[in-house]
């Protein structure tokens, strides 16, 4: 039976930090499911379809290099519900800082109560990527800055097109 991991997030946009975590997570499972959250209270910069395309463009190679199948889905409910639907036994979460750790520990506790068969796996961001957030990337691009040091080239192109003046 294949080992399936779910990596939930908004991925708005995909950053080099996400790609780094995909490379790490892909070594732990046979199938990595990138689960794009689509929650009614959030207004994303990119549509779910655009985010799926960015994930596939940026993350297919590191997953394949690890011998891992990459799959993309969207979900609008709990991550544990999406994990159940996908047959996942691992829930991937990235950590950049102590603040992330505190928040993620609370979430892991809640998820363990809701889905005791789902194991949360914390993966540390590579040191050079720890300050990176999708929010900061969006702000840089929106204010005319160059996001290319922080995102894969296809994502940078999409950001430049989105904020072309």
């Amino acid at each position: 039976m294949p080992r399936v991991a779910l990596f939930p997030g908004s991925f708005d946009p995909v950053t080099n930090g996400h790609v780094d975590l995909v490379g790490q997570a892909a070594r732990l499972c046979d199938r990595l499911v990138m689960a794009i959250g689509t929650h009614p209270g959030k207004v994303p910069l990119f549509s779910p379809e655009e985010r799926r395309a960015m994930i596939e463009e940026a993350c297919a190679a590191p997953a394949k290099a690890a011998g891992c199948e990459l799959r993309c889905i969207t979900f609008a409910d709990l991550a544990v519900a999406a994990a159940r639907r996908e047959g996942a036994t691992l829930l991937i979460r990235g950590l950049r800082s102590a603040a992330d750790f505190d928040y993620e520990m609370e979430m892991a506790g809640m998820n363990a109560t809701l889905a005791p068969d789902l194991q949360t796996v914390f993966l540390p961001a590579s040191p050079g990527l720890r300050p990176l957030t999708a929010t900061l990337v969006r702000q840089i691009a929106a204010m005319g800055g160059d996001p290319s040091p922080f995102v894969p080239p296809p994502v940078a192109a999409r950001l430049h097109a989105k904020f072309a003046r």
Side-chain angles (χ1 to χ4, degrees):
M1 187 164 188
R3 181 173 289 250
V4 180
L6 187 95
F7 182 5
S10 61
F11 307 108
D12 188 36
V14 174
T15 68
N16 292 337
H18 294 127
V19 177
D20 173 55
L21 291 174
V22 165
Q24 292 183 53
R27 294 193 304 265
L28 303 176
C29 58
D30 302 303
R31 181 181 315 130
L32 180 60
V33 180
M34 303 294 289
I36 303 164
T38 58
H39 303 288
K42 288 189 173 183
V43 181
L45 177 62
F46 291 101
S47 72
E49 296 77 20
E50 290 172 308
R51 289 182 275 164
R52 177 190 300 259
M54 286 187 280
I55 289 168
E56 290 170 351
E57 291 165 351
C59 299
K64 184 177 181 180
C68 179
E69 175 191 346
L70 185 72
R71 177 170 150 71
C72 280
I73 64 164
T74 59
F75 75 104
D77 54 350
L78 296 172
V80 295
R84 276 196 189 108
R85 284 192 299 276
E86 293 298 317
T89 56
L90 302 173
L91 183 67
I92 303 297
R93 300 301 297 161
L95 298 177
R96 294 173 301 219
S97 66
D100 281 356
F101 179 78
D102 289 341
Y103 172 78
E104 293 295 345
M105 281 297 289
E106 290 175 5
M107 289 299 296
M110 299 297 283
N111 288 337
T113 300
L114 294 170
D117 53 330
L118 186 63
Q119 177 66 54
T120 298
V121 176
F122 296 133
L123 297 175
S126 293
L129 300 173
R130 288 186 184 148
L132 184 55
T133 70
T135 301
L136 289 175
V137 168
R138 287 193 308 272
Q139 289 173 345
I140 289 166
M143 298 174 88
D146 181 11
S148 61
F150 312 109
V151 296
V155 176
R158 288 173 186 270
L159 284 164
H160 286 302
K162 193 71 85 166
F163 291 108
R165 298 183 191 262

